[in-house]
Amino acid sequence: MDTAIEMARDVREGKRSSEEIVQECLDRIEGGNEKLNALLGTFDDALERARGIDERRTAGEDVGPLGGVPVILKDNMLVKGERCTAGSRILENYDAPYDATVTKRLRAAGAVLIGRSNCDEFAMGSSTENSHYGPTRNPWDTDRVPGGSSGGSAVAVATGFAPLAFGSDTGGSIRQPASLCGVVGLKPTYGRVSRHGLVALASSLDQIGPFARTVEDAALALEVIQGDDPLDATTVAGADASIPELLERDVKGMRVGVPKEYFLEGMDEDVRRTVMDAIAVYEKAGANIVEISLPNAPYALASYYVVMPSEACSNLGRFDGIRFGYSSEGSTLLETYERSRGEGFGPEVRRRIMLGTFALSKGYADAFYRKALKARTLIKRDFDDAFKDVDVIATPTSPSVAWPIGEKFNDPLAMYLADIYTVSANMATIPGMSIPCGFVNELPVGLQLLGRTFDEYALFRAGAYYQSVTDWHTRTP
Amino acid sequence: MSLTNEEILHIATLARLRVEPEDLPRYAEQLGSILEYVAKLDELEIDGVTELAHGAGLTNVFRQDTIAPVEADVRHRVIAAFPHREGDLLEVPAVFVDRTE
C-alpha cells in the first residue's frame, strides 16, 4: 500500500490521478467496512473534490503537500455539511455547520476528505466498543477490539481505507489504537494543533493527531494541521515552525530514557520482551540507553481519572436537549434536561459525567479535583527532570495486545488501566508517538516514544530511524 | 470510598441526568471502585505544589472584544441544528413556568 507522500508525489507528477486513488480507497471501504465497522460514513463529494484537484494540477497549479491524498477524520471533527455524531445517540442527526480548523487546513493542503470514522462515544473509551453505532473490529483478529477511542481511524489506516486518518488523544486515544492495530499514531504537544471544531472531551488534555503507516507521513500530516489559531486560545504562537526534512537516518549519540516504573507488574511478559527488543535496536545503532525514574508515574492514571471526567462533565453541559442534538421533552425544564441527557448519552458517558460532577461538587473539589491538578504538576516535573538527561523516552504503548471484544466491557476500571502508559503524556502536555515494533500471537505491539514539549522532531528522528532498519510497519492484516 | 443511593441521586440531579432506581447498585459499585483507585492520590505529598494550568505556561489569553462576522451559510446551518424554531427565531421552554399545573 502506498504512503501519503507517495500518493501526493504521483498526483503532482501526473502518474496517477487523485480520482483514481480516491476511487481505490472507496472500493476498499466498500469491500471491507461492513465487517470492520471502522467508518460511519463516506462523503458524497469525495470523487468530485478529487477531480477538482486533478483539474488544478492539469492547469499547472500547485495542489499542496497533500494534493489529492484521501484522508479520514474521526467522527468528532466537524466537516461542514456532514453528519458528526461523536459516536453518540445525542448527535445522531447533527450536521456540522462549519469546518474544524484541522478540516480547513487539510483542505488547504489539497487533501481529499473521504469519510468519518467510528469512535467511543465522545471519545470515552479504550476499545471503540462504546460507540452507539456498534463496535469497530480489529483487522488482525476481528473478534478483538482495535483499541480506542479513535479505533476507526486506526483500522482505516491499517486496512488501507486511506493512507492518513486523524484522531483525538485525551489519554491515549490515538497511540493505544495505533499500537493495537500496527500503525503509527502521534499525539502532538498540547497547544500545537487547534481544537476548534473538535467535539470536546477534556479541554486541557485533548489534542488532534494523525495515524499513518510511516513516521514521514505522520510528520507531514502534523506539518499541515499544526499552528496557532485565534479560535483556540490554548494554541501556542510560534510553535508552528516547519518540521525539518527527515534526512537524518541516524540515532548515534541520541539519549534514550527507559523509565523503570513502566516495566513493572501488570504488563504482559511477551509485550515487555518485544518492547525491550525495540529499545535494543537503538542501543545497536549507537544511542545511549539510560535508565530513568518517573517517580510519580504510578499516580498519573488516578489523577487523570479525576481531571478528565471533571472537564468532561463541564464540556458535556452543552448537551441540554435544547440547543442542538437529541431532545426528549419533559413536563418541566429540569425533566427535559434529565430525559434528553439520560436517553441521549450512553452508559460510559453517564458514568464519567457522574464521576466528574462528584469530583467538582461542594465538599469534594479540594480532595479530588484540586489535588489531581497538583499531582499533574508533579507528573510534569518528573518529565522536565528526565528530559535534562535524555532526548526521548521509550516505553510500551499498551500493557497488552488487543483483547477479545466484550472482555473488559463491564469492568470500567480494567478498561481504564489499558491507558496506564499513555495518560502521562497528556497530563504533562508532552508529545507521544506509537510505532509498530513487533507481534505477540500475531497481534501488533507498539513502542511509545515521548519527547519534550514541542520537540516532535526528536520523536520523528527516532521513529524514522527505527522504521528504516525494521519492517514491522510494512506488514498488513 | 463508597457512595450511598442518596449521594448518587444528588450527583445525578447536579449533573441533570435521570438515573433509574434499578441502576443505583451498578453506579454504586462502579463509581465506588473507581473512587477507591483514585484514592491513591492521598499518598502524595502535595503541600505547596501549585496546580497545573497550561503546559507551555499560558495563563490568560486576551483579545480585542470585536464583533466578527459569521458567514450567512454557517449562520443558517447553526439555526437549522436547533430542535425547535420558528423561521429564524429559536424556541426554548420557559424557565419559570410549571407545566404540570
Side-chain angles (χ1 to χ4, degrees), chain A residues 80-82 94-98 104 190-191 204 230 233-236 296 298-299 301-303 305-306 321-327 329-339 341-343 345 347 349-351 353-355 357-358 361 364 367-368 370-378 380-381 410-413 416-417 420 427-429 453-454, chain B residues 1-3 7-20 23-24 26-27 29-63 68 71-84 90-101:
Chain A
K80 187 174 170 180
E82 298 290 348
Y94 181 70
D95 293 329
Y98 57 91
K104 272 194 185 140
Y190 184 83
S204 78
T234 64
T235 51
V236 176
N296 293 296
Y299 302 97
L301 194 69
S303 50
Y305 269 97
V306 176
I322 290 172
R323 282 176 281 189
F324 54 95
Y326 179 84
S327 180
E329 214 169 319
S331 58
T332 61
L333 185 60
L334 180 64
E335 212 179 292
T336 300
Y337 291 149
E338 290 182 339
R339 280 169 64 155
R341 292 161 62 80
E343 295 162 21
F345 291 137
V349 176
R350 294 200 300 266
R351 194 149 52 226
I353 290 174
M354 293 285 284
L355 202 55
T357 304
F358 171 74
S361 65
Y364 295 103
F368 287 90
R370 300 176 75 96
K371 186 180 284 175
L373 288 182
K374 290 177 181 180
R376 199 174 169 182
T377 298
L378 297 177
K380 176 152 177 60
R381 216 179 268 169
N410 291 313
D411 186 352
L413 188 58
Y416 296 174
L417 288 166
I420 191 131
M427 294 299 275
T429 74
T453 49
F454 297 107
Chain B
M1 166 160 200
S2 59
L3 297 174
E7 285 172 316
I8 293 169
L9 289 170
H10 173 62
I11 299 164
T13 306
L14 291 176
R16 301 291 186 257
L17 275 180
R18 167 180 257 183
V19 170
E20 304 297 339
D23 291 335
L24 285 170
R26 210 178 56 237
Y27 272 115
E29 186 210 320
Q30 294 179 334
L31 296 179
S33 76
I34 297 162
L35 291 174
E36 198 177 307
Y37 179 77
V38 162
K40 222 176 146 71
L41 292 178
D42 293 340
E43 298 164 13
L44 283 174
E45 290 289 332
I46 50 157
D47 287 347
V49 177
T50 52
E51 295 161 18
L52 185 82
H54 187 287
L58 293 186
T59 49
N60 291 323
V61 179
F62 295 107
R63 61 171 169 76
E71 286 168 47
D73 177 45
V74 170
R75 189 177 147 271
H76 288 305
R77 288 172 190 270
V78 170
I79 292 169
F82 213 85
H84 301 285
L90 309 178
E91 198 180 318
V92 297
V95 175
F96 298 110
V97 172
D98 184 355
R99 276 176 284 166
T100 54
E101 283 167 16

Side-chain angles (χ1 to χ4, degrees), chain A residues 155-408:
Chain A
V155 172
V157 169
T159 50
F161 290 175
L164 278 181
F166 291 81
S168 58
D169 189 315
T170 305
S173 281
I174 292 173
R175 291 160 289 155
Q176 186 257 13
S179 173
L180 269 46
C181 291
V183 297
V184 174
L186 171 74
K187 181 204 90 78
T189 305
Y190 184 83
R192 194 187 263 281
V193 180
S194 169
R195 294 174 295 106
H196 176 67
L198 170 71
V199 179
L201 165 51
S203 300
S204 78
L205 302 162
D206 298 343
Q207 210 39 206
I208 296 172
F211 289 89
R213 308 187 69 82
T214 64
V215 169
E216 285 87 346
D217 273 4
L220 174 62
L222 178 65
E223 193 154 2
V224 165
I225 62 171
Q226 70 175 342
D228 63 315
D229 177 7
L231 298 172
D232 175 358
T234 64
T235 51
V236 176
D240 54 339
S242 111
I243 294 160
E245 291 285 319
L246 296 167
L247 296 173
E248 237 174 327
R249 292 281 187 197
D250 180 9
V251 290
K252 205 167 182 167
M254 192 176 208
R255 297 167 304 167
V256 178
V258 180
K260 58 182 183 192
E261 291 84 1
Y262 278 55
F263 292 86
L264 299 177
E265 81 271 29
M267 87 172 297
D268 182 292
E269 190 47 45
D270 293 325
V271 170
R272 174 220 284 268
R273 187 179 33 77
T274 308
V275 170
M276 291 315 283
D277 288 349
I279 293 168
V281 168
Y282 289 109
E283 192 164 23
K284 203 175 148 206
N288 299 324
I289 311 299
V290 185
E291 189 187 85
I292 59 163
S293 174
L294 299 167
N296 293 296
Y299 302 97
L301 194 69
S303 50
Y304 174 77
Y305 269 97
V306 176
V307 173
M308 177 272 298
S310 297
E311 295 185 16
C313 79
S314 166
N315 275 327
L316 294 174
R318 72 193 64 171
F319 297 97
D320 55 6
I322 290 172
R323 282 176 281 189
F324 54 95
Y326 179 84
S327 180
S328 175
E329 214 169 319
S331 58
T332 61
L333 185 60
L334 180 64
E335 212 179 292
T336 300
Y337 291 149
E338 290 182 339
R339 280 169 64 155
S340 300
R341 292 161 62 80
E343 295 162 21
F345 291 137
E348 178 62 21
V349 176
R350 294 200 300 266
R351 194 149 52 226
R352 294 200 197 184
I353 290 174
M354 293 285 284
L355 202 55
T357 304
F358 171 74
L360 292 175
S361 65
K362 190 178 165 194
Y364 295 103
D366 281 343
F368 287 90
Y369 182 63
R370 300 176 75 96
K371 186 180 284 175
L373 288 182
K374 290 177 181 180
R376 199 174 169 182
T377 298
L378 297 177
I379 292 157
K380 176 152 177 60
R381 216 179 268 169
D382 280 357
F383 281 104
D384 290 345
D385 288 344
F387 282 122
K388 286 175 190 155
D389 300 320
V390 299
D391 302 306
V392 295
I393 293 173
T395 81
T397 307
S398 160
S400 73
V401 293
W403 59 88
I405 289 175
E407 191 181 272
K408 300 181 185 185

Side-chain angles (χ1 to χ4, degrees), chain A residues 17-46:
Chain A
S17 68
S18 173
E19 183 180 8
E20 193 184 327
I21 293 169
V22 168
Q23 186 62 59
E24 270 172 29
C25 287
L26 292 174
D27 289 346
R28 268 191 225 116
I29 292 166
E30 177 79 29
N33 192 54
E34 198 178 310
K35 175 82 187 160
L36 297 169
N37 197 31
L39 297 196
L40 296 177
T42 52
F43 301 148
D44 290 339
D45 64 353

